[in-house]
Amino acid sequence: MAASLSSTTHPDTRPVAHTTGPGTTDRLAALVADIRAAVGRGLPPDPTAYLVGEKLAPHLGAPDLLTPGQREGGPEHYRQHLLHAEADGSFSVVALVWLPGQRTPVHDHVSWCVTGVHEGEERERRYRLLPADSPGGRARLVATEDVVNPPGSVCGFAPPGDIHRVWNGGSDRAVSLHVYGADVSRLGSSVRRVYDLPADR
C-alpha cells in the first residue's frame, strides 16, 4: 500500500497534553465510568463503539464536562488534550480543540473510535482506498462522503474503512471528544497512518 507512515513531527502524532487528575470534572469522571462499563463487556469493535457512543451522547454540550484548560486551542494546529487513559490500555478519552481552518491530513486509526461534537461544528471527508489499476501504478483515494457534524452529533467507526480528514470549516472554535480503543498516552496518537496519495480534496 503506497502510504507514508506517520512521523513524530506531524501534529497528529505529537504526544497529547495530559490533563487528567485534579482537573478532571465530576461529569467527566462519570463519563469515564460509563465507558469503562461498556468497554468491559468485551464485545467486538463495532458494537463496542455503538455502546460507547450511547454513553457519550448525553454529556455533549454540558458546561461542566471540561475545564477551561481542556477547551484551549493552539495557534498553529488543532490541540489534543488527553482526558483519560485506562490503566489496562483498553481505551482513552481525548478532547480535540480546533480553531477555524485547522485540519488533519488524510489518515486512519489504530483502533475503533467514537467521536462526539461538544462545541462548534466539525467537518469530515471520508475516503476509500483504490489499489493501483496497472503494474507500477499508484493507489489513490476516492472521497465517498462529506459530513457536517453539528453540536451533539456522535459517530463511530472501526478499521478498516476508517480513512478520513477532519477540519473546522466554521468561524468559531470547535471542541470534540474522541474515545479510542487504545492507550494513546503510550502511543502518542490515535493515527495509524497518514496517507500521501492522490486524493479527492
Side-chain angles (χ1 to χ4, degrees), residues 73-155:
E76 299 298 324
H77 304 286
Y78 69 90
R79 187 167 179 196
Q80 303 180 81
H81 298 275
L82 178 64
L83 305 177
H84 178 80
E86 190 72 349
D88 65 3
S90 59
F91 71 92
S92 305
V93 185
V94 177
L96 298 186
V97 183
W98 316 74
L99 300 183
Q102 292 179 343
R103 65 177 53 216
T104 71
V106 179
H107 65 282
D108 61 12
H109 306 84
V110 298
S111 70
W112 60 263
C113 175
V114 174
T115 67
V117 179
H118 181 60
E119 174 184 331
E121 183 180 271
E122 264 187 9
R123 300 188 183 188
E124 177 187 14
R125 176 163 284 188
R126 300 172 183 171
Y127 296 90
R128 181 165 51 97
L129 181 66
L130 293 183
D133 55 7
S134 62
R138 193 171 187 209
R140 64 190 178 93
L141 294 165
V142 174
T144 59
E145 188 176 12
D146 285 319
V147 181
V148 178
N149 298 307
S153 61
V154 174
C155 65

Side-chain angles (χ1 to χ4, degrees), residues 1-5 108 129-131 139 141 163 192-193 195 197:
M1 182 180 299
S4 63
L5 296 179
D108 61 12
L129 181 66
L130 293 183
L141 294 165
I163 304 171
R192 180 171 71 107
R193 185 167 27 203
Y195 288 82
L197 290 173

Side-chain angles (χ1 to χ4, degrees), residues 4 8 34-35 49 58 61 63 66 68 76 83 85-86 89 95 110 112 117 120 124 143 157-159 162 171 189 200:
S4 63
T8 55
D34 287 345
I35 294 170
L66 301 177
E76 299 298 324
L83 305 177
E86 190 72 349
V110 298
W112 60 263
V117 179
E124 177 187 14
F157 50 80
D162 60 324
S171 57
S189 173
D200 299 342

Side-chain angles (χ1 to χ4, degrees), residues 57-75:
H59 297 279
L60 296 172
D64 58 343
L65 179 60
L66 301 177
T67 68
Q70 292 164 346
R71 297 171 61 250
E72 287 182 359

Side-chain angles (χ1 to χ4, degrees), residues 164-188:
H164 69 166
R165 171 197 300 276
V166 183
W167 71 96
N168 179 357
S171 57
D172 298 314
R173 173 179 56 191
V175 181
S176 54
L177 268 69
H178 297 234
V179 184
Y180 301 108
D183 185 352
V184 298
S185 69
R186 180 177 58 82
L187 298 175

